[in-house]
Amino acid sequence: MNRTDRLYALVEDLRAISPRCRSARQLAERFEVSVRTIERDIAALQESGVPIYAEPGRSGGYAVDKNHSLPPLNFTPAEAVAIAIALSRAGDQPFGRQARSALRKVVAAMPGSEGELARELASRVQLVAPVETGEEIQPLGRAGVSRVIEDALLRRRVLRLDYADRKGALTSRDVEPGVFLGGRGGFWYLVAWCRLRDDVRVFRLDRIASASVSDERCPDRPLEGYVTDVPDMIVHGTLLD
DNA sequence: ACAAACCAAGCAGTGGTAAT
DNA sequence: ATTACCACTGCTTGGTTTGT
C-alpha cells in the first residue's frame, strides 16, 4: 500500500472506531509500517485539516473528531443542482467564494456520466440579474408543478402545460423545456419551445396551473436560443460558472 | 505505555552533461 | 534528437531518545 492510499485508509479506520482510540502501535501493525511512519502520517493529516487528536495515557491513542468532519457523500445529479441553486444565492456575499469552490468539488467528485448529467442539468438552470437590488426570489409556485418540470428537464421530455396568461386566459400546450430562469422580478420562469405558438415562450411558474411529462423525447435545440430570444433577461451565468 | 522529536539511510524523481 | 550517466534534492522510512 502506498502512502496516499494509507492516509485515506487511516482516516477511515479511525472514523470507524471513533470515539474510541487506536494507538500508533496498533495502526502500525494493521498497515505493516513502523510506529514512526504512522505518527508522521497522523501529523500530515492533521496539517491538512483532518480533525485527528491524540489521547495520552495507558488507554490513549489517536481518534478522529466526527463532529468536525464529514464522511464521503454521494449526490444524484438533481441533488447536486439543488445544492448549486442554494449556493448560487451566496453570490458575492460572505463565503460566496467558498460556496462556488464547494460546488465545483461536488460536481468534480461525481463519476463520469453522473457528472456530465449534473453539468448538463446545471447549464439549464440559469440566474438572471435582478431588476432591483435586494429583490427576493419567490417560491417556485405550485409544488407539484416544479417537480414535474424538474423531471422533464432531467429526462429531456416534452411537457404538457395548462397555463394562465397575465389576463388569466387558460391555454393547454405542449412545450419542449429549455432553461429554468430564476431572479427576474423575483420569479422563476421556464423558457421553452412552445408547439402551440411554434416559437420560444417564457412561462412564469406561478401561472402554470398544471403540468405533466409525456413519453416523447425533446429534439436537440441549441441552448443559447432559449435565452437570447427572451427580452430583458440578462443572464448572470450558469450555476457552475 | 504512549506521543513527540531528532537523526540517518534508502529510494525515486529531476536536471545537467556527454556520447551516439 | 535521443540515450546514458551522474549528481543533487526531496520524500519516505526506521531507529533511538526524550518528555508526559
Side-chain angles (χ1 to χ4, degrees), chain A residues 144-150 152 157-164 169-178 180 189-196 201-214:
Chain A
V145 168
S146 64
R147 274 197 289 274
V148 169
I149 296 173
E150 287 163 16
R157 292 291 188 271
V158 173
L159 263 177
R160 201 146 292 158
L161 299 182
D162 289 325
Y163 186 71
L170 202 64
T171 53
S172 295
R173 52 184 97 191
D174 287 350
V175 304
E176 299 164 15
F180 243 138
Y189 297 85
L190 171 69
V191 185
W193 182 267
C194 177
R195 292 184 172 178
L196 182 67
R201 286 291 184 270
V202 182
F203 302 94
R204 218 172 84 176
L205 257 68
D206 62 312
R207 289 183 183 156
I208 297 175
S210 67
S212 60
V213 182
S214 75

Side-chain angles (χ1 to χ4, degrees), chain A residues 74-78 80 107 109-121:
Chain A
N74 293 316
F75 295 106
T76 65
V107 174
M110 297 176 81
S113 58
E114 297 270 290
E116 281 302 310
L117 195 51
R119 272 183 280 274
E120 156 70 10
L121 194 52

Side-chain angles (χ1 to χ4, degrees), chain A residues 7-236:
Chain A
L7 290 176
Y8 276 107
L10 257 175
V11 175
E12 289 307 304
D13 195 72
L14 290 175
R15 176 183 290 283
I17 64 162
S18 176
R20 289 186 294 126
C21 296
R22 187 160 281 181
S23 71
R25 188 173 55 78
Q26 290 173 317
L27 291 167
E29 287 171 3
R30 163 148 168 56
F31 292 104
E32 298 177 330
V33 292
S34 70
V35 170
R36 183 68 195 94
T37 298
I38 292 296
E39 287 165 351
R40 261 192 295 261
D41 289 349
I42 296 289
L45 289 167
Q46 287 171 328
E47 276 183 22
S48 62
V50 180
I52 294 174
Y53 60 91
E55 287 281 354
R58 203 172 280 274
S59 59
Y62 295 105
V64 65
D65 185 353
K66 277 186 171 178
N67 294 325
H68 290 86
S69 68
L70 290 170
L73 299 171
N74 293 316
F75 295 106
T76 65
E79 285 170 340
V81 171
I83 293 170
I85 293 169
L87 291 177
S88 67
R89 303 293 301 280
D92 294 326
Q93 297 169 21
F95 297 103
R97 187 169 52 84
Q98 288 87 342
R100 288 188 291 276
S101 167
L103 176 59
R104 281 192 289 272
K105 284 182 187 175
V106 168
V107 174
M110 297 176 81
S113 58
E114 297 270 290
E116 281 302 310
L117 195 51
R119 272 183 280 274
E120 156 70 10
L121 194 52
S123 72
R124 293 185 177 278
V125 180
Q126 304 195 355
L127 304 170
V128 177
V131 174
E132 295 172 12
T133 307
E135 205 166 51
E136 282 295 315
I137 299 178
Q138 303 300 313
L140 283 169
R142 296 169 196 270
V145 168
S146 64
R147 274 197 289 274
V148 169
I149 296 173
E150 287 163 16
D151 184 40
L153 269 174
L154 196 60
R155 297 195 292 130
R156 307 288 302 124
R157 292 291 188 271
V158 173
L159 263 177
R160 201 146 292 158
L161 299 182
D162 289 325
Y163 186 71
D165 64 16
R166 70 184 70 178
K167 293 176 183 172
L170 202 64
T171 53
S172 295
R173 52 184 97 191
D174 287 350
V175 304
E176 299 164 15
V179 178
F180 243 138
L181 284 177
R184 182 211 189 198
F187 292 100
W188 280 92
Y189 297 85
L190 171 69
V191 185
W193 182 267
C194 177
R195 292 184 172 178
L196 182 67
R197 308 296 183 212
D198 202 22
D199 199 1
V200 172
R201 286 291 184 270
V202 182
F203 302 94
R204 218 172 84 176
L205 257 68
D206 62 312
R207 289 183 183 156
I208 297 175
S210 67
S212 60
V213 182
S214 75
D215 292 332
E216 184 183 353
R217 186 175 172 79
C218 295
D220 288 331
R221 293 184 193 279
L223 198 57
E224 300 75 29
Y226 285 107
V227 180
T228 53
D229 287 355
V230 182
D232 303 331
M233 290 285 189
I234 306 161
V235 175
H236 260 347

